[in-house]
Structure formats: C-alpha cells, structure tokens
Amino acid sequence: MTDTSPLQRIEAAVARIEAAVVAQRKESDSLARRHEKLREAMAKAVGALDEIIAREDG
C-alpha cells in the first residue's frame, strides 16, 4: 500500500467534489427540461379542457 500525502488526499477529495457538482448540475438541468415539458403538456391539457367546457356551456 502506498502512503498518500495530505495534499494528495485533499486533491483527491476536491476532484470527487467537483465530479459531484458536475453530476448534480446535469441532473438539475435534466429536471428543469422535464419540468418545462410537463408544464407545456399541462397547459395544453387545460386548454383542451377549457375548449370542451366552453362548447358544452355553448
């Protein structure tokens, strides 16, 4: 087993933190895109329901 210096351990920890930040950012971006698609789909669905209700109340 090779001994690692404190500096090497710190550098390794920083690299792990940076990798986690990148992964989190990608996940957040993906979630934001999915949320936008869902919001658009819901707006269309509500619009369609409004049209149906307006025709029925006609």
Side-chain angles (χ1 to χ4, degrees):
M1 180 167 107
T2 59
D3 290 327
T4 56
S5 72
L7 180 57
Q8 290 171 320
R9 291 195 307 270
I10 290 169
E11 288 173 343
V14 168
R16 288 191 305 271
I17 291 168
E18 289 172 343
V21 167
V22 169
Q24 180 65 35
R25 186 175 302 131
K26 287 180 184 177
E27 186 176 321
S28 293
D29 291 346
S30 175
L31 182 59
R33 284 190 302 273
R34 290 190 332 245
H35 175 74
E36 180 62 23
K37 286 180 183 178
L38 177 59
R39 191 187 66 74
E40 290 171 2
M42 290 302 300
K44 287 180 184 178
V46 168
L49 288 172
D50 283 343
E51 289 177 15
I52 292 170
I53 291 169
R55 280 194 305 253
E56 293 297 317
D57 288 344

